[in-house]
Amino acid sequence: MATFQLELVSPERLLLSRPVDMAVIPAAEGEMGVLPGHSPMIVALRGGVITVTENGQVTDRLFVAGGFAEVTPERCTVLADEATPVAQLSRTEAEQRIKDAEAAYADASSATPEKRDAAMDRLLSARAMLQAAQAA
């Protein structure tokens, strides 16, 4: 089966770099499947889970808090703001992030639209983290 190179980079380290059959990434517009030969594009990511498939089996599930992905026919490079294997997510930490993000969003009610949008993105990412932690 044809493969492409998937690279997942966070500010701390390179988390994954290997040939895979398919990856599903949480693009800002919705879930996006990437296969070998995909059309080139750059997409923004929202908080969610990247699912990696090799030999017809899901081999990795990684939570990303946002970022960007560059897709070419031979490669998908994910530059994540934060990335954690789903198995290592903490429900308690996710719940605390939601509380903090809700407070930040409430504080941003009179701020600029950009600050309100950033606060909402943070809240949605925290909710996605909790959902991923519960599903693990």
Side-chain angles (χ1 to χ4, degrees):
M1 176 173 247
T3 62
F4 66 95
Q5 186 72 18
L6 176 63
E7 293 185 343
L8 175 57
V9 182
S10 74
E12 295 84 31
R13 65 183 199 266
L14 174 66
L15 289 165
L16 187 121
S17 179
R18 66 175 184 260
V20 301
D21 299 337
M22 181 175 89
V24 178
I25 60 175
E29 297 83 17
E31 298 293 311
M32 181 177 132
V34 180
L35 294 165
H38 198 287
S39 297
M41 62 180 58
I42 296 176
V43 296
L45 300 178
R46 60 178 165 73
V49 175
I50 295 176
T51 305
V52 179
T53 303
E54 297 173 87
N55 299 317
Q57 303 276 335
V58 173
T59 57
D60 291 288
R61 295 185 70 238
L62 302 131
F63 173 79
V64 293
F68 292 90
E70 178 186 21
V71 180
T72 68
E74 304 82 27
R75 172 181 309 275
C76 176
T77 303
V78 176
L79 304 172
D81 296 338
E82 172 188 347
T84 307
V86 169
Q88 295 177 11
L89 291 176
S90 162
R91 183 178 176 170
T92 305
E93 180 184 343
E95 289 170 344
Q96 185 59 49
R97 282 190 186 197
I98 289 172
K99 288 179 187 174
D100 294 345
E102 286 173 341
Y105 185 69
D107 289 344
S109 64
S110 61
T112 65
E114 294 82 10
K115 288 186 180 182
R116 285 194 308 272
D117 287 347
M120 178 54 78
D121 288 345
R122 183 175 162 205
L123 177 57
L124 293 174
S125 179
R127 287 178 179 166
M129 182 182 194
L130 178 61
Q131 185 176 12
Q134 290 173 330

